[in-house]
Amino acid sequence: MNKIRPYERKVFYYETDKMGIVHHSNYIRIFEEARVHYLSEAGLPFPKIEGMGILMPVLSVEAVYKRPLRFDETFAVYLKIDKFNGTTLHVSYRLVSRDTGEVCVEGGSSHCFTDTDLRVLRTKNKYPEVYDVFAKYSGLDFEEIFE
């Protein structure tokens, strides 16, 4: 199994609010950026998934804010697939400040696999190559996944 590089970047000015910290809603966008990065690193880029006619709508999302990020602060996002059954998955996220090493946000999102008409798919039967990538990384700890 290939190790994955964490998703990393700096906080953009437009992501901050009047208090000078990242607005809470932007962490959900960062989760999505990290998810797209993770899939690419795992060998299954999002355009390939969508090109196969597979969608991954969000069923739920949550975030626990521990320490705010500020403009121009570098952070890394680590994620792992906690649960996967071929039809649904749950992903956990951990955002870490590269400046301080502190965990700033932890969260999760749940998704299902659908076709373009939003009918639920069973990837194991219809898309085994997609199933195999998710199954390979499912249930691993952060330390097992990342460089």
Side-chain angles (χ1 to χ4, degrees), residues 43-122:
L44 194 59
F46 222 80
K48 181 177 180 179
I49 295 171
E50 289 184 338
M52 298 168 80
I54 301 171
L55 302 177
M56 293 176 55
V58 175
L59 301 174
S60 66
V61 66
E62 62 187 3
V64 177
Y65 308 103
K66 298 180 176 285
R67 202 268 283 161
L69 288 168
R70 299 185 178 280
F71 169 62
D72 209 38
E73 186 172 0
T74 302
F75 64 90
V77 184
Y78 300 87
L79 65 87
K80 64 179 181 169
I81 300 169
D82 292 319
K83 299 175 190 167
F84 171 69
N85 67 12
T87 302
T88 61
L89 73 145
H90 185 269
V91 180
S92 289
Y93 307 85
R94 183 178 293 161
L95 277 74
V96 178
S97 169
R98 285 290 197 216
D99 298 347
T100 68
E102 293 175 274
V103 174
C104 298
V105 177
E106 291 182 321
S109 61
S110 295
H111 308 263
C112 66
F113 296 91
T114 72
D115 63 17
T116 56
D117 292 323
L118 299 179
R119 289 186 301 254
V120 175
L121 295 174
R122 288 180 168 69

Side-chain angles (χ1 to χ4, degrees), residues 11-51:
V11 173
F12 300 120
Y13 183 76
Y14 76 85
E15 294 175 305
T16 62
D17 60 17
K18 189 174 182 175
M19 294 178 285
I21 60 175
V22 172
H23 187 272
H24 65 276
S25 66
N26 286 313
Y27 291 105
I28 305 307
R29 290 182 172 97
I30 292 168
F31 289 176
E32 183 173 304
E33 292 171 19
R35 200 167 52 249
V36 169
H37 167 82
Y38 182 95
L39 289 172
S40 184
E41 288 277 306
L44 194 59
F46 222 80
K48 181 177 180 179
I49 295 171
E50 289 184 338

